[in-house]
Amino acid sequence: RTDSAGVTYLAFLEKRTSTYWRGTYDEEKDSSDIYPAKTETMVRHFADANGLPLGESIPEWEMVFDPHSELRVDFRERKINTFQLTQYMRPAVKKSIKCPPTVFKVIEHVLAKDVESIEHFMNWLAFIVQKRDRTMTAWVFQGTQGTGKGLLMNKILMPILGAEQTVIKRAAELTEKWTDFVDGKLLVFIDEVQTSAYRDENSYIANLKNFITEPTVTVRMMNKNSFAVRNYANYIFASNKPDPVSVDKEDRRFNIGPYQGQKLEFEQRD
């Protein structure tokens, strides 16, 4: 049901995961506010409260993540695109001759002021923002605590790409069989990486390479059937260790940033 303000109320069963969902889509703002429901009763209560007729059965819809499509809700195909433009993606593209100084200071410090690494990272990030696709390479940030790795992710990259379209995981979590964190993501930040600490290091690295380069990935969720999705995710690995990832000399999938041994400091202002 769409009200006079252009807000559409949605209630459905997602057919891939057999999960109930309910919420709204605002066409004017081009934003959705949809949440899972534990039971059919919750869906029906939501529908009744918002004047949404459901009938005897809950309709089946499909949820996809497609950053290349501008269509958010397709009533004919019964499909919802969960990708959302951030405030930094909406304005018309303007040519910029320099990076905002505070942003540049963080990036410069994380990469130990190495000019070649900074330029390469800027181009890598520009590709993600402009093409909204996987680069098929990943970055490794290494340095002592407080060098700005987390700050870069939380305060710069996450707002640019969207909080719902980015995620932070600990390296230890990659050994678990659940991989639902890759679904609907443009950027995955893996913290506390040290591949040599794992008994089967080769297998661990092989899984990382698969996430970085493969066009599709298998999503495994607890108590749900697994399914394949298009892979849009890019990866940044961060570590306080001097040996975060074991990489062959001929491997082009990892961009290794120089080790930063100094903490990031900002000038105090009154």
PDB file of all heavy atoms in Angstrom, residues 177-190:
ATOM      1  N   LYS A 177      31.789 -21.100   9.668  1.00  0.00           N
ATOM      2  CA  LYS A 177      31.182 -21.506   8.403  1.00  0.00           C
ATOM      3  C   LYS A 177      30.112 -20.553   7.913  1.00  0.00           C
ATOM      4  O   LYS A 177      29.683 -20.629   6.764  1.00  0.00           O
ATOM      5  CB  LYS A 177      30.595 -22.914   8.525  1.00  0.00           C
ATOM      6  CG  LYS A 177      29.524 -23.064   9.596  1.00  0.00           C
ATOM      7  CD  LYS A 177      29.047 -24.515   9.660  1.00  0.00           C
ATOM      8  CE  LYS A 177      27.985 -24.718  10.738  1.00  0.00           C
ATOM      9  NZ  LYS A 177      27.524 -26.122  10.788  1.00  0.00           N
ATOM     10  N   TRP A 178      29.666 -19.613   8.765  1.00  0.00           N
ATOM     11  CA  TRP A 178      28.622 -18.676   8.347  1.00  0.00           C
ATOM     12  C   TRP A 178      29.248 -17.540   7.560  1.00  0.00           C
ATOM     13  O   TRP A 178      30.182 -16.877   8.013  1.00  0.00           O
ATOM     14  CB  TRP A 178      27.869 -18.135   9.557  1.00  0.00           C
ATOM     15  CG  TRP A 178      27.476 -19.181  10.546  1.00  0.00           C
ATOM     16  CD1 TRP A 178      27.815 -19.238  11.863  1.00  0.00           C
ATOM     17  CD2 TRP A 178      26.679 -20.353  10.300  1.00  0.00           C
ATOM     18  NE1 TRP A 178      27.286 -20.349  12.452  1.00  0.00           N
ATOM     19  CE2 TRP A 178      26.581 -21.056  11.521  1.00  0.00           C
ATOM     20  CE3 TRP A 178      26.046 -20.872   9.164  1.00  0.00           C
ATOM     21  CZ2 TRP A 178      25.881 -22.244  11.638  1.00  0.00           C
ATOM     22  CZ3 TRP A 178      25.353 -22.065   9.278  1.00  0.00           C
ATOM     23  CH2 TRP A 178      25.261 -22.725  10.499  1.00  0.00           C
ATOM     24  N   THR A 179      28.711 -17.288   6.357  1.00  0.00           N
ATOM     25  CA  THR A 179      29.292 -16.266   5.469  1.00  0.00           C
ATOM     26  C   THR A 179      28.260 -15.227   5.050  1.00  0.00           C
ATOM     27  O   THR A 179      28.415 -14.582   4.014  1.00  0.00           O
ATOM     28  CB  THR A 179      29.873 -16.930   4.208  1.00  0.00           C
ATOM     29  OG1 THR A 179      28.829 -17.673   3.536  1.00  0.00           O
ATOM     30  CG2 THR A 179      31.016 -17.872   4.547  1.00  0.00           C
ATOM     31  N   ASP A 180      27.220 -15.040   5.832  1.00  0.00           N
ATOM     32  CA  ASP A 180      26.183 -14.079   5.456  1.00  0.00           C
ATOM     33  C   ASP A 180      26.683 -12.635   5.499  1.00  0.00           C
ATOM     34  O   ASP A 180      26.034 -11.739   4.947  1.00  0.00           O
ATOM     35  CB  ASP A 180      24.952 -14.235   6.362  1.00  0.00           C
ATOM     36  CG  ASP A 180      25.295 -14.194   7.842  1.00  0.00           C
ATOM     37  OD1 ASP A 180      26.169 -14.968   8.262  1.00  0.00           O
ATOM     38  OD2 ASP A 180      24.688 -13.400   8.567  1.00  0.00           O
ATOM     39  N   PHE A 181      27.847 -12.390   6.106  1.00  0.00           N
ATOM     40  CA  PHE A 181      28.366 -11.028   6.179  1.00  0.00           C
ATOM     41  C   PHE A 181      28.769 -10.485   4.807  1.00  0.00           C
ATOM     42  O   PHE A 181      28.916  -9.274   4.630  1.00  0.00           O
ATOM     43  CB  PHE A 181      29.572 -10.956   7.128  1.00  0.00           C
ATOM     44  CG  PHE A 181      30.799 -11.688   6.643  1.00  0.00           C
ATOM     45  CD1 PHE A 181      31.737 -11.046   5.855  1.00  0.00           C
ATOM     46  CD2 PHE A 181      31.012 -13.018   6.974  1.00  0.00           C
ATOM     47  CE1 PHE A 181      32.867 -11.708   5.405  1.00  0.00           C
ATOM     48  CE2 PHE A 181      32.127 -13.692   6.534  1.00  0.00           C
ATOM     49  CZ  PHE A 181      33.058 -13.040   5.735  1.00  0.00           C
ATOM     50  N   VAL A 182      28.957 -11.351   3.802  1.00  0.00           N
ATOM     51  CA  VAL A 182      29.381 -10.886   2.478  1.00  0.00           C
ATOM     52  C   VAL A 182      28.204 -10.409   1.641  1.00  0.00           C
ATOM     53  O   VAL A 182      28.391  -9.689   0.653  1.00  0.00           O
ATOM     54  CB  VAL A 182      30.131 -11.996   1.707  1.00  0.00           C
ATOM     55  CG1 VAL A 182      31.326 -12.480   2.487  1.00  0.00           C
ATOM     56  CG2 VAL A 182      29.204 -13.162   1.382  1.00  0.00           C
ATOM     57  N   ASP A 183      26.987 -10.786   2.009  1.00  0.00           N
ATOM     58  CA  ASP A 183      25.812 -10.448   1.214  1.00  0.00           C
ATOM     59  C   ASP A 183      25.465  -8.972   1.368  1.00  0.00           C
ATOM     60  O   ASP A 183      25.317  -8.463   2.476  1.00  0.00           O
ATOM     61  CB  ASP A 183      24.622 -11.311   1.660  1.00  0.00           C
ATOM     62  CG  ASP A 183      23.434 -11.191   0.721  1.00  0.00           C
ATOM     63  OD1 ASP A 183      23.610 -10.694  -0.404  1.00  0.00           O
ATOM     64  OD2 ASP A 183      22.325 -11.600   1.116  1.00  0.00           O
ATOM     65  N   GLY A 184      25.354  -8.280   0.235  1.00  0.00           N
ATOM     66  CA  GLY A 184      24.948  -6.874   0.262  1.00  0.00           C
ATOM     67  C   GLY A 184      26.018  -5.926   0.752  1.00  0.00           C
ATOM     68  O   GLY A 184      25.705  -4.877   1.333  1.00  0.00           O
ATOM     69  N   LYS A 185      27.289  -6.245   0.506  1.00  0.00           N
ATOM     70  CA  LYS A 185      28.377  -5.396   0.997  1.00  0.00           C
ATOM     71  C   LYS A 185      29.272  -4.917  -0.154  1.00  0.00           C
ATOM     72  O   LYS A 185      29.577  -5.668  -1.084  1.00  0.00           O
ATOM     73  CB  LYS A 185      29.229  -6.166   2.008  1.00  0.00           C
ATOM     74  CG  LYS A 185      28.462  -6.577   3.263  1.00  0.00           C
ATOM     75  CD  LYS A 185      27.950  -5.385   4.034  1.00  0.00           C
ATOM     76  CE  LYS A 185      27.245  -5.785   5.321  1.00  0.00           C
ATOM     77  NZ  LYS A 185      25.936  -6.408   5.077  1.00  0.00           N
ATOM     78  N   LEU A 186      29.684  -3.647  -0.053  1.00  0.00           N
ATOM     79  CA  LEU A 186      30.669  -3.090  -0.970  1.00  0.00           C
ATOM     80  C   LEU A 186      32.071  -3.131  -0.377  1.00  0.00           C
ATOM     81  O   LEU A 186      33.061  -3.162  -1.109  1.00  0.00           O
ATOM     82  CB  LEU A 186      30.311  -1.633  -1.323  1.00  0.00           C
ATOM     83  CG  LEU A 186      29.068  -1.424  -2.185  1.00  0.00           C
ATOM     84  CD1 LEU A 186      28.749   0.064  -2.279  1.00  0.00           C
ATOM     85  CD2 LEU A 186      29.265  -2.010  -3.571  1.00  0.00           C
ATOM     86  N   LEU A 187      32.152  -3.117   0.961  1.00  0.00           N
ATOM     87  CA  LEU A 187      33.459  -3.119   1.620  1.00  0.00           C
ATOM     88  C   LEU A 187      33.393  -3.927   2.908  1.00  0.00           C
ATOM     89  O   LEU A 187      32.486  -3.739   3.725  1.00  0.00           O
ATOM     90  CB  LEU A 187      33.896  -1.684   1.931  1.00  0.00           C
ATOM     91  CG  LEU A 187      35.259  -1.519   2.618  1.00  0.00           C
ATOM     92  CD1 LEU A 187      36.377  -2.057   1.733  1.00  0.00           C
ATOM     93  CD2 LEU A 187      35.517  -0.051   2.963  1.00  0.00           C
ATOM     94  N   VAL A 188      34.357  -4.828   3.078  1.00  0.00           N
ATOM     95  CA  VAL A 188      34.486  -5.639   4.293  1.00  0.00           C
ATOM     96  C   VAL A 188      35.847  -5.332   4.913  1.00  0.00           C
ATOM     97  O   VAL A 188      36.884  -5.460   4.255  1.00  0.00           O
ATOM     98  CB  VAL A 188      34.368  -7.144   3.983  1.00  0.00           C
ATOM     99  CG1 VAL A 188      34.524  -7.963   5.265  1.00  0.00           C
ATOM    100  CG2 VAL A 188      33.031  -7.456   3.313  1.00  0.00           C
ATOM    101  N   PHE A 189      35.835  -4.926   6.172  1.00  0.00           N
ATOM    102  CA  PHE A 189      37.054  -4.578   6.908  1.00  0.00           C
ATOM    103  C   PHE A 189      37.341  -5.701   7.897  1.00  0.00           C
ATOM    104  O   PHE A 189      36.545  -5.965   8.792  1.00  0.00           O
ATOM    105  CB  PHE A 189      36.853  -3.247   7.634  1.00  0.00           C
ATOM    106  CG  PHE A 189      38.080  -2.712   8.320  1.00  0.00           C
ATOM    107  CD1 PHE A 189      38.931  -1.841   7.657  1.00  0.00           C
ATOM    108  CD2 PHE A 189      38.367  -3.048   9.644  1.00  0.00           C
ATOM    109  CE1 PHE A 189      40.051  -1.316   8.297  1.00  0.00           C
ATOM    110  CE2 PHE A 189      39.483  -2.537  10.275  1.00  0.00           C
ATOM    111  CZ  PHE A 189      40.331  -1.674   9.593  1.00  0.00           C
ATOM    112  N   ILE A 190      38.466  -6.382   7.695  1.00  0.00           N
ATOM    113  CA  ILE A 190      38.837  -7.513   8.553  1.00  0.00           C
ATOM    114  C   ILE A 190      39.961  -7.066   9.492  1.00  0.00           C
ATOM    115  O   ILE A 190      41.054  -6.718   9.045  1.00  0.00           O
ATOM    116  CB  ILE A 190      39.305  -8.724   7.725  1.00  0.00           C
ATOM    117  CG1 ILE A 190      38.255  -9.083   6.657  1.00  0.00           C
ATOM    118  CG2 ILE A 190      39.567  -9.902   8.641  1.00  0.00           C
ATOM    119  CD1 ILE A 190      36.934  -9.528   7.202  1.00  0.00           C
TER     120      ILE A 190
END
